Amino acid sequence: MKKLALLRHAKSDWSDARARDFDRPLNARGVRGARAMGEYIKSTCLTFERIIASPAVRVAETIEEASKAWGHSFPVEWDRRIYLASSATLIDLLRELSGEPESVLMIGHNPGLEDLIFDLVPDDGTSPLREDVEVKFPTATFAVMELAIERWADLDERCGKLVAMKRPRDLDPALGPTLND
């Protein structure tokens, strides 16, 4: 059994229309959301043997702010393939993991992370959390799946169970959607 946690980057700043997508930083709400999620993850007492992340600025800043709230910095493996990746690409990346870590935290972007949940967790009507993902997997959302595999190379569709999901608005209603979202 493996554990895969996903964290979508926090809310980014769209105020500079000239900025490349890759270079967009967090906005003020994103900073608050990343910190709230860092505090939440700390409260779960979950640990991760590996943390892999997109090198996009908004992901790096999400990690930085969440780590401050968590009270601990973590070694991150930056992988450009995570940036705006499809679910298929993310599955391939996970299958390539070396060292067989029991628990992995992947930090990246939608729609790839959301689609990864849809591909790994069966749509059999038994997971209300999966139904929540179908509604929306907003920025700074954290999800945890248990995977019925012994080796990452065996990762395949419908091998997962979504066991936890927390959105920033679940922690603080002020971090929920606004009219601009």
Side-chain angles (χ1 to χ4, degrees):
M1 180 77 64
K2 302 287 187 186
K3 186 172 290 185
L4 174 62
L6 304 175
L7 177 61
R8 184 175 172 203
H9 67 78
K11 194 81 177 155
S12 60
D13 186 358
W14 287 83
S15 65
D16 183 355
R18 295 172 298 156
R20 289 184 327 149
D21 179 74
F22 187 88
D23 297 325
R24 282 190 290 116
L26 297 182
N27 65 17
R29 192 170 106 204
V31 169
R32 291 191 316 273
R35 288 179 182 166
M37 203 50 64
E39 290 171 4
Y40 169 75
I41 296 169
K42 178 182 179 180
S43 77
T44 68
C45 297
L46 290 171
T47 59
F48 306 103
E49 291 178 43
R50 300 272 285 280
I51 299 174
I52 56 178
S54 161
V57 170
R58 60 192 178 274
V59 173
E61 289 183 358
T62 297
I63 294 168
E64 179 182 343
E65 296 301 331
S67 294
K68 286 178 190 174
W70 203 325
H72 187 62
S73 62
F74 301 92
V76 175
E77 297 172 32
W78 304 101
D79 194 319
R80 179 100 184 185
R81 294 176 294 172
I82 298 172
Y83 175 67
L84 302 181
S86 67
S87 173
T89 298
L90 297 175
I91 288 172
D92 287 345
L93 189 148
L94 290 164
R95 285 179 180 151
E96 295 171 7
L97 286 174
S98 62
E100 291 304 325
E102 293 300 313
S103 58
V104 173
L105 171 59
M106 178 183 282
I107 308 165
H109 312 267
N110 253 5
L113 294 181
E114 180 177 295
D115 289 344
L116 184 61
I117 292 170
F118 294 149
D119 287 344
L120 296 179
V121 178
D123 184 13
D124 58 8
T126 62
S127 176
L129 291 176
R130 188 185 191 284
E131 292 171 13
D132 287 345
V133 175
E134 289 176 13
V135 172
K136 188 162 186 186
F137 194 73
T139 53
T141 295
F142 176 72
V144 180
M145 291 177 281
E146 292 176 347
L147 306 172
I149 57 173
E150 294 300 318
R151 299 174 324 127
W152 287 101
D154 298 332
L155 186 63
D156 202 5
E157 292 184 0
R158 297 185 301 281
C159 72
K161 178 180 179 183
L162 187 58
V163 296
M165 185 175 99
K166 191 65 76 173
R167 301 165 300 194
R169 69 174 172 235
D170 299 331
L171 304 170
D172 179 353
L175 295 173
T178 66
L179 294 176
N180 297 331
D181 289 344

